[in-house]
Amino acid sequence: MLFKMEKEGARKKAMLVLFGAGTRLTEAEQEQVQVEDYNCNNLKQIGSQRLVMVNNAQIYAAETVLFPNQIRPELRHPNRAVTLRCREGKVYLYTEGEQFDKIHAKIPRGKDADFTVFHEIIIEPGQQLEIPADTRYWMQGSPEAGAVILELSGPYNPAQDIFTSSAYSKRS
């Protein structure tokens, strides 16, 4: 029961964050805001909130909200590149490439093995980055304000996501 209440609170908070970023939601869209905890049961540290605006045979478009310090776990999308555009806040994005010795993100205690890529890219409002298909990446909202991220790609099937750690899965 508590987790259901926590998810509902996160959904409402995400709607307020989206509103603050200039996104106006219809009543139907308000009900469609998804809260994902990636089967972790620790939404404050690992999770995301998402409004899928369109997902059809041509395009996927969604707005993702990461609360301050909230992590979307490491994964890759086979056969699908993703464009991430920061609309609000700041995103610490980690992907394959030259490893950084010191990063801004804070990995939760005991979860170090779940994260394997540490090439840091900081994305601020108005900036965007394309993640090539089949590239491992993860991201964290900044501690000050979290982030609102526009995600664009070809058609998306969450069942095709491959998480680096088997501890995580979609649609919890």
Side-chain angles (χ1 to χ4, degrees):
M1 177 79 153
L2 178 61
F3 192 65
K4 185 176 181 180
M5 290 173 39
E6 181 184 13
K7 277 189 157 184
E8 182 59 21
R11 190 179 70 77
K12 288 181 178 179
K13 182 178 175 184
M15 287 189 293
L16 290 173
V17 170
L18 288 168
F19 186 81
T23 302
R24 302 301 179 255
L25 304 177
T26 66
E27 285 185 34
E29 287 173 325
Q30 291 176 23
E31 296 302 317
Q32 294 171 2
V33 173
Q34 304 166 357
V35 176
E36 298 176 348
D37 80 334
Y38 302 98
N39 204 34
C40 185
N41 296 321
N42 187 355
L43 191 57
K44 184 176 178 184
Q45 292 185 324
I46 297 178
S48 65
Q49 296 65 222
R50 179 175 306 169
L51 171 65
V52 176
M53 295 174 284
V54 63
N55 188 15
N56 59 36
Q58 288 79 39
I59 189 170
Y60 171 80
E63 295 224 68
T64 297
V65 174
L66 292 175
F67 297 142
N69 293 315
Q70 192 179 41
I71 294 175
R72 184 164 143 194
E74 187 175 299
L75 76 161
R76 60 188 173 89
H77 308 288
N79 305 314
R80 182 175 79 95
V82 178
T83 298
L84 303 173
R85 181 178 182 87
C86 182
R87 294 195 47 248
E88 190 84 14
K90 188 186 302 183
V91 182
Y92 300 135
L93 175 74
Y94 300 91
T95 185
E96 297 174 23
E98 182 182 337
Q99 305 285 318
F100 283 52
D101 292 332
K102 186 172 180 168
I103 62 172
H104 286 86
K106 306 293 182 224
I107 296 173
R109 185 172 299 167
K111 300 289 184 183
D112 292 346
D114 297 346
F115 301 91
T116 66
V117 294
F118 297 99
H119 180 78
E120 182 177 76
I121 302 166
I122 298 173
I123 307 174
E124 298 192 56
Q127 296 177 330
Q128 68 184 38
L129 179 75
E130 183 172 332
I131 308 282
D134 211 30
T135 300
R136 291 174 294 151
Y137 74 99
W138 61 281
M139 55 188 162
Q140 184 174 51
S142 72
E144 302 82 21
V148 176
I149 306 131
L150 176 63
E151 294 188 48
L152 301 167
S153 72
Y156 176 47
N157 178 355
Q160 293 177 345
D161 287 346
I162 300 172
F163 288 88
T164 300
S165 170
S166 61
Y168 304 113
S169 64
K170 275 279 198 181
R171 307 292 176 239
S172 50

